[in-house]
Amino acid sequence: GPCKGLRIMVVEDNKANSTFLNRFLSKQGADLYNAENGQQALQLLENTRIDIILMDIQMPVMDGREATKRIRSGQSGINPSTLPIIAVSAYAMKHEQEHILAGGMDGFVAKPVQTHELLSAISIAVNK
């Protein structure tokens, strides 16, 4: 599949969403890593090489915006601060998307996730 060999981290606190993304992306050939909030994501990045992050925006403990800010400021362990990050969010309004992208994300996929949109966003982000 188009995700063959990609190391994808899914940062999502909703079990159903997380399960759906994991099932779909593993069928596409991706290696998956999971975190339930931004803090767990940052811990995982300390010594795990990741190619791309799918970042939920609203999460307990540390939300997606804060986690992205920290990754962009260099708190991403062995990964570069330019690590591709795609926002996955129910915030679908245009101005909200722009606000999220302005926060350092490389792409935006609205919930409920359409698989073709997700694949397209991943492909664009990793080939930047």
Side-chain angles (χ1 to χ4, degrees), residues 14-128:
N14 179 295
K15 272 280 168 269
N17 290 339
S18 172
T19 301
F20 166 77
L21 289 169
N22 274 275
R23 279 197 187 133
F24 173 69
L25 292 166
S26 61
K27 278 195 187 115
Q28 307 298 316
D31 292 327
L32 288 145
Y33 300 81
N34 285 274
E36 286 176 26
N37 58 59
Q39 193 174 37
Q40 281 186 14
L42 288 168
Q43 285 166 351
L44 197 57
L45 288 171
E46 279 172 23
N47 27 33
T48 310
R49 173 71 61 210
I50 296 293
D51 296 315
I52 186 165
I53 299 179
L54 302 181
M55 183 81 78
D56 186 26
I57 299 299
Q58 289 179 293
M59 293 178 289
V61 188
M62 186 191 295
D63 70 14
R65 284 195 179 94
E66 179 61 26
T68 298
K69 202 162 77 184
R70 294 185 184 209
I71 290 166
R72 293 297 175 244
S73 73
Q75 295 179 46
S76 46
I78 63 169
N79 294 277
S81 58
T82 55
L83 182 63
I85 302 173
I86 294 174
V88 181
S89 174
Y91 290 119
M93 302 293 288
K94 198 83 193 110
H95 69 276
E96 288 167 334
Q97 288 188 33
E98 284 161 5
H99 180 68
I100 288 166
L101 292 168
M105 308 237 178
D106 299 287
F108 182 96
V109 175
K111 286 180 180 178
V113 172
Q114 305 295 313
T115 54
H116 63 278
E117 281 178 21
L118 179 64
L119 290 179
S120 160
I122 288 172
S123 156
I124 292 165
V126 296
N127 293 309
K128 252 185 163 172

